[in-house]
Amino acid sequence: MTQARTADRRAPRQWHGVRMRRIAIGSDPDAAPRQVILPVCWEDSAAGALAALAPGSLPAVLAQAADAWIAPLAARAAAAGDDGLADRLHDLLLRRRGAPDPGIWRGLPEPVPGFALNLPAFLDPAAGFAVEEFAAAVDTAVLALSLAAPEARRIAVRMADLAGLLAGAGVEYGSPAARDIARALAGLLRGRADATSARLAAGANPAPRAVWPSPPTSTLLPGLAEAAAAVAESALRGAAPRHLCTTAITDPNAAEALLGVETGGIAPSFSPLGLDGGLSRAARGWLAARGIAAEAALAMALAGENPLPPVTPAAHAAMHDAVAPFLHVVPPRPAERAAPGRGTIRRELPGRRGGYTQKATVGGHKLYLRTGEYGSGELGEIFIALHKEGAAFRGLMDNFAVAVSLGLQHGVPLEAFVQAFTFTRFGPAGAVEGDPAVRQATSLLDYVFRHLAGNYLGRQDLPEAEAEPADSVGEGARDRSPLLPLDLPAEAGAGARRRAFRVIAS
């Protein structure tokens, strides 16, 4: 439940007049709900992040929770002659451009204190990327982390949602132009972070000076390459930084969720859908940047054409290679897992495709098997619909079919699935009706892949399944499974009853 309100006068001045809403939400689905107050336009996921970030269990008001950690840092900065740190930090948070890691919000020490900068928040569709404002944000983040953890020799200022920035700028993630933008951003981030760290090095042991590659000479974002080159040259001539590490790409946490980040670090956006089931912000940004209206995008999708650029694991690996030389800490290089006989690219099915629906009954339980085919007739997807099973079992079967379909589209041969899932034994099982090619099945999956093996692989050599009761879980199941106190075996004779009787509760 939400309720709109306006930030009161007790909040820092940046928040005056901002429309707020109240929502009861937990930091995760299993946590107890907590009252949270944040701007009306921020998502529920941001409210859950605030519930996790703000210490205690009392209602969390975003402006006040932020001021609780900003005010002490601003006081220390003011003592050193910087009176504007509080305004800069509140502005970064209000505009969803930057926020520190949970430890700073909660006043807890962290091995490497971090600060996330949300790249799409610095992009204006009309004015372009705010290069100078991004550079100033890096300075602010380094200063804030240094004041929050003065003894730390390692800090981690990181950029987040590179994929969202590229989509909003209309640049394909897997293109050389995208990698040039990423290199320039990483160079600018590293140069400004090290330069700010060097200014704070008085009285501290300076870190060894490091040299990183030259940034690109031009990018599709005006002014970015020039700023990165100037920063790199200045950093090489300046003093050594105070910190051994200033920049990193790390796993996203509640700070990114609060900022509305959709993809962590330099990762691509593999899915065009957001948490609410609609198009993600990156997908909407791409369509807007390319001038593709929603109706035109729908028409393209119905015609079998993807209006969004495909992203491959190879593109992710290439982006990692482009950025890694500039930053202090990066995750391991993404593996380019080659599917058997295909490579790493997913083969999309045509918008209008062939296939058929097979209705069958296994052990008295009805199912519908639907197939989707490529133009060549090769199997590309399956759907399994159950008639009277419970919601949990139906949901598991739906998602199992999706997983198999993705495997087929990435090149996993149908033969591998047939080998893995035929002869699996669990109920429902038994006689098959409605499919003359399969007479018995040891499970629903056994039936599905026997049928697919016959229709798509021409396999007629699979041994016939042994008939079993519909509620069986394999040979000897009755002897292995516990019995209810009065659920006695059917053999004649009191001795037989005594041997099989088991007490499972007292």
Side-chain angles (χ1 to χ4, degrees), residues 186-204:
L188 180 57
L189 173 63
R190 171 71 178 272
R192 289 300 288 254
D194 279 5
T196 304
S197 176
R199 291 197 299 270
L200 301 172

Side-chain angles (χ1 to χ4, degrees), residues 223-292:
L224 178 59
E226 294 79 3
V231 163
E233 183 179 356
S234 175
L236 292 177
R237 293 198 313 264
R242 167 184 176 177
H243 299 92
L244 296 172
C245 165
T246 60
T247 57
I249 297 294
T250 62
D251 292 335
N253 55 46
E256 277 88 349
L258 184 68
L259 299 174
V261 169
E262 289 186 334
T263 58
I266 59 173
S269 178
F270 286 107
S271 173
L273 301 181
L275 294 176
D276 59 356
L279 286 178
S280 66
R281 185 184 60 245
R284 296 194 304 270
W286 170 265
L287 296 177
R290 290 302 179 103
I292 303 175

Side-chain angles (χ1 to χ4, degrees), residues 128-156:
F129 187 74
V131 175
E132 290 302 322
E133 294 179 22
F134 175 74
V138 175
D139 297 344
T140 299
V142 172
L143 177 58
L145 295 178
S146 301
L147 293 172
E151 302 300 324
R153 294 299 307 280
R154 298 177 183 273
I155 58 175

Side-chain angles (χ1 to χ4, degrees), residues 5-18 63-64:
R5 54 177 290 179
T6 303
D8 58 42
R9 294 294 172 180
R10 292 174 296 176
R13 63 181 182 83
Q14 288 84 357
W15 300 88
H16 291 174
V18 176
Q64 296 174 4

Side-chain angles (χ1 to χ4, degrees), residues 334-352:
E336 297 179 60
R337 294 181 290 274
R342 290 279 188 265
T344 61
I345 299 177
R346 177 183 177 186
R347 290 196 304 157
E348 298 283 352
L349 284 158
R352 178 172 293 183

Side-chain angles (χ1 to χ4, degrees), residues 70-86 88 143 147 200:
I70 290 176
L73 303 185
R76 296 171 200 166
D82 184 347
D83 294 324
L85 180 62
R88 299 196 299 273
L143 177 58
L147 293 172
L200 301 172

Side-chain angles (χ1 to χ4, degrees), residues 225-470:
E226 294 79 3
V231 163
E233 183 179 356
S234 175
L236 292 177
R237 293 198 313 264
R242 167 184 176 177
H243 299 92
L244 296 172
C245 165
T246 60
T247 57
I249 297 294
T250 62
D251 292 335
N253 55 46
E256 277 88 349
L258 184 68
L259 299 174
V261 169
E262 289 186 334
T263 58
I266 59 173
S269 178
F270 286 107
S271 173
L273 301 181
L275 294 176
D276 59 356
L279 286 178
S280 66
R281 185 184 60 245
R284 296 194 304 270
W286 170 265
L287 296 177
R290 290 302 179 103
I292 303 175
E295 183 178 352
L298 177 60
M300 294 171 65
L302 293 176
E305 181 182 355
N306 189 353
L308 304 171
V311 179
T312 66
H316 189 192
M319 186 65 75
H320 177 279
D321 294 344
V323 170
F326 293 90
L327 304 180
H328 288 95
V329 177
V330 293
R333 188 177 191 269
E336 297 179 60
R337 294 181 290 274
R342 290 279 188 265
T344 61
I345 299 177
R346 177 183 177 186
R347 290 196 304 157
E348 298 283 352
L349 284 158
R352 178 172 293 183
R353 46 191 175 268
Y356 63 87
T357 300
Q358 173 68 47
K359 174 185 174 183
T361 301
V362 179
H365 292 251
K366 188 184 302 181
L367 69 79
Y368 294 86
L369 171 64
R370 171 68 188 170
T371 68
E373 302 171 352
Y374 292 100
S376 62
E378 182 183 358
L379 181 65
E381 68 180 358
I382 64 171
F383 299 93
I384 304 172
L386 302 179
H387 179 62
K388 63 178 182 179
E389 267 55 48
F393 191 35
R394 292 199 309 270
L396 287 172
M397 192 64 77
D398 288 344
N399 285 278
F400 172 83
V402 171
V404 171
S405 300
L406 289 174
L408 293 169
Q409 292 163 30
H410 281 87
V412 179
L414 175 59
E415 178 67 38
F417 290 116
V418 170
Q419 183 177 358
F421 296 114
T422 50
F423 299 104
T424 51
R425 293 180 180 272
F426 58 89
V432 176
E433 300 175 8
D435 187 347
V438 183
R439 295 191 298 175
Q440 294 282 340
T442 58
S443 68
L444 295 179
L445 294 188
D446 177 59
Y447 165 71
V448 166
F449 287 97
R450 281 177 179 275
H451 173 88
L452 295 175
N455 277 28
Y456 286 96
L457 300 177
R459 292 281 304 272
Q460 307 298 330
D461 58 336
L462 292 174
E464 186 172 334
E466 298 178 3
E468 290 199 25

